[in-house]
Amino acid sequence: MRLSDGVEWGVHACSLLAVLPTGSALPAAKLAEFHGVPSAYMAKHLQSLARAGILETVKGPRGGYRLARPPAAVTLLDVVEAIDGAEPAFRCSEIRRRGPAAAPAREYRGLCGINRAFLRADEAWRAELRAVTIADMALTAARDAPPSGVDKAARWLREAVR
Amino acid sequence: MRLSDGVEWGVHACSLLAVLPTGSALPAAKLAEFHGVPSAYMAKHLQSLARAGILETVKGPRGGYRLARPPAAVTLLDVVEAIDGAEPAFRCSEIRRRGPAAAPAREYRGLCGINRAFLRADEAWRAELRAVTIADMALTAARDAPPSGVDKAARWLREAVR
């Protein structure tokens, strides 16, 4: 079971957009350049984030993407669901209704107990990701980054939004 | 992000093996028949469960698989890890060290904050699955099944282990 690479890229991209000067935006190519990842794939994930209402596009020569709402109002779960979808990790195929012990379909009530147990685990996972925001991630990234990295990021960003 | 079908089959198979009469075993073909799933795939997953020490094989004409330890000592997480592996759902590719803002590798200490957040969610998921056992699942299955299904299962099982 694994999340797609796009989730990692999407959280990083949103965390960078969280520290953009007000009123500015970054094109997909710049977001790809900053993270050292292929531009076409980054563009695809940014489009998913925009469709989910996490990013919005700004037209014009200094256009590109920016966060559609405050970074504290975008959770990690929002980004995960925008890129990988919201389906639970465990998909019940109702195995209990097959085979020689199967009863008529109408006699099964409620979800299979195995499904219920996995849904509880899924909800615990989602609750953790719902409690962390892009604002938290931007702050953590700035605090954890080597000082020389922070300086280089700030210089690159000033240049990129000019 | 999704778990493989094998996880569902594995949990169902272990839950059935949990109610086998002491000293008996079920071959892969019988376990596949009971669950109405293809025999070759079921055999593959049973082998994974045996390699992980969850099942053991019994040789001879009435041989097959049985649980290698009490059903209360096998958790859902054990089954998940036996079949899908134990890697976390989020794989950090250290994006923070790439691109124009990268600092020398030796200046990065600790895990990326994004990775840490996903690892916390992963641990919450695992904790839930570690708290549920195959004994719980067998009990729940018996309690939730339609009465006619329980009767048919008991009859089929008596026949299968003769």
Side-chain angles (χ1 to χ4, degrees):
Chain A
M1 184 181 81
R2 74 172 289 183
L3 291 162
S4 76
D5 292 336
V7 170
E8 183 183 16
W9 301 13
V11 176
H12 274 282
C14 289
S15 305
L16 182 64
L17 293 175
V19 299
L20 275 196
T22 310
S24 55
L26 276 180
K30 282 284 165 193
L31 281 161
E33 178 192 323
F34 184 84
H35 296 105
V37 299
S39 189
Y41 275 119
M42 180 55 106
K44 177 176 162 268
H45 299 309
L46 296 169
Q47 280 158 21
S48 300
L49 292 167
R51 261 196 307 275
I54 294 170
L55 302 184
E56 60 188 13
T57 51
V58 180
K59 305 275 180 211
R62 299 162 85 193
Y65 286 101
R66 67 181 177 203
L67 288 175
R69 47 186 204 258
V74 178
T75 71
L76 289 194
L77 186 62
D78 293 333
V79 176
V80 166
E81 294 191 342
I83 289 173
D84 270 8
E87 278 204 87
F90 181 88
R91 319 279 163 87
C92 173
S93 66
E94 285 288 346
I95 275 192
R96 62 178 177 163
R97 303 191 189 194
R98 304 191 212 165
R106 67 177 182 286
E107 293 186 18
Y108 292 91
R109 299 192 196 285
L111 299 175
C112 175
I114 296 172
N115 192 14
R116 289 202 306 272
F118 277 97
L119 286 173
R120 282 194 301 272
D122 219 74
E123 188 39 47
W125 185 78
R126 279 165 210 279
E128 286 288 329
L129 295 180
R130 212 180 276 123
V132 182
T133 71
I134 291 299
D136 301 327
M137 292 295 94
L139 204 67
T140 302
R143 205 177 44 210
D144 290 357
S148 72
V150 175
D151 290 347
K152 283 197 261 186
R155 261 200 312 277
W156 182 90
L157 209 49
R158 267 197 305 277
E159 204 54 44
V161 299
R162 260 213 314 194
Chain B
M1 185 181 80
R2 74 173 289 181
L3 292 162
S4 75
D5 292 336
V7 169
E8 184 183 16
W9 301 11
V11 176
H12 274 281
C14 289
S15 305
L16 182 64
L17 293 175
V19 299
L20 275 196
T22 311
S24 54
L26 277 179
K30 282 283 166 194
L31 281 160
E33 179 193 323
F34 184 84
H35 296 105
V37 300
S39 190
Y41 274 118
M42 180 55 106
K44 177 176 163 269
H45 299 310
L46 296 169
Q47 280 157 20
S48 300
L49 292 167
R51 262 196 306 275
I54 294 170
L55 302 185
E56 60 188 14
T57 51
V58 181
K59 306 273 180 213
R62 298 163 84 196
Y65 286 101
R66 68 181 176 204
L67 287 175
R69 46 186 205 260
V74 178
T75 71
L76 289 193
L77 186 62
D78 293 333
V79 176
V80 166
E81 293 191 343
I83 288 174
D84 269 8
E87 277 205 88
F90 182 88
R91 319 278 163 86
C92 174
S93 65
E94 284 290 345
I95 274 193
R96 60 178 179 163
R97 302 191 190 195
R98 303 192 212 163
R106 68 177 182 284
E107 294 186 18
Y108 292 90
R109 298 191 197 287
L111 299 175
C112 176
I114 296 172
N115 192 13
R116 289 202 306 273
F118 277 97
L119 287 173
R120 282 195 300 273
D122 219 74
E123 189 37 54
W125 185 76
R126 279 164 211 280
E128 287 288 330
L129 296 180
R130 211 180 277 121
V132 182
T133 71
I134 291 298
D136 301 326
M137 292 296 94
L139 204 65
T140 302
R143 205 177 44 209
D144 290 357
S148 71
V150 174
D151 290 348
K152 284 196 261 184
R155 261 199 313 276
W156 181 91
L157 209 49
R158 267 197 305 276
E159 204 54 45
V161 300
R162 263 210 315 189

